[in-house]
Amino acid sequence: MKISSASSPSVSITPQAGGAAAAPAAAPVAAPAGNDALESAVLQPAQKALGALPDFDAARVAELRDALAKGELPFDAGRLAGLIQRFHGSKA
């Protein structure tokens, strides 16, 4: 049998209606019941403390913004950049 690039295929493939069959969804994995109680007991005080805090101190933000605009608050852009780079790690 000789195979050449000019030959046409003897079998044609046509897509079926509905496309490929979908794979069945995997069942969700449940955490052990005891783990939920432990996490709840550990996290409850922290959640209460966070709930008691305001979202942010608008007066303090305005005070710092004004001090920065007046030049009363020192700002070192190079130091800030270095701290950001150190925190996030240099990815060169």
Side-chain angles (χ1 to χ4, degrees), residues 1-91:
M1 177 174 179
K2 183 177 178 182
I3 300 174
S4 66
S5 61
S7 66
S8 60
S10 60
V11 177
S12 63
I13 301 173
T14 56
Q16 296 179 348
V29 178
N35 205 16
D36 290 340
L38 176 64
E39 285 182 11
S40 178
V42 171
L43 293 178
Q44 239 175 6
Q47 288 174 336
K48 286 180 183 177
L50 283 173
L53 293 173
D55 289 338
F56 68 98
D57 187 353
R60 181 70 175 144
V61 171
E63 180 183 326
L64 290 171
R65 185 179 291 137
D66 290 341
L68 188 59
K70 292 177 186 174
E72 299 169 354
L73 186 65
F75 177 73
D76 185 356
R79 182 168 181 248
L80 176 62
L83 291 170
I84 292 170
Q85 188 175 24
R86 187 175 76 192
F87 180 78
H88 291 287
S90 61
K91 296 178 179 149

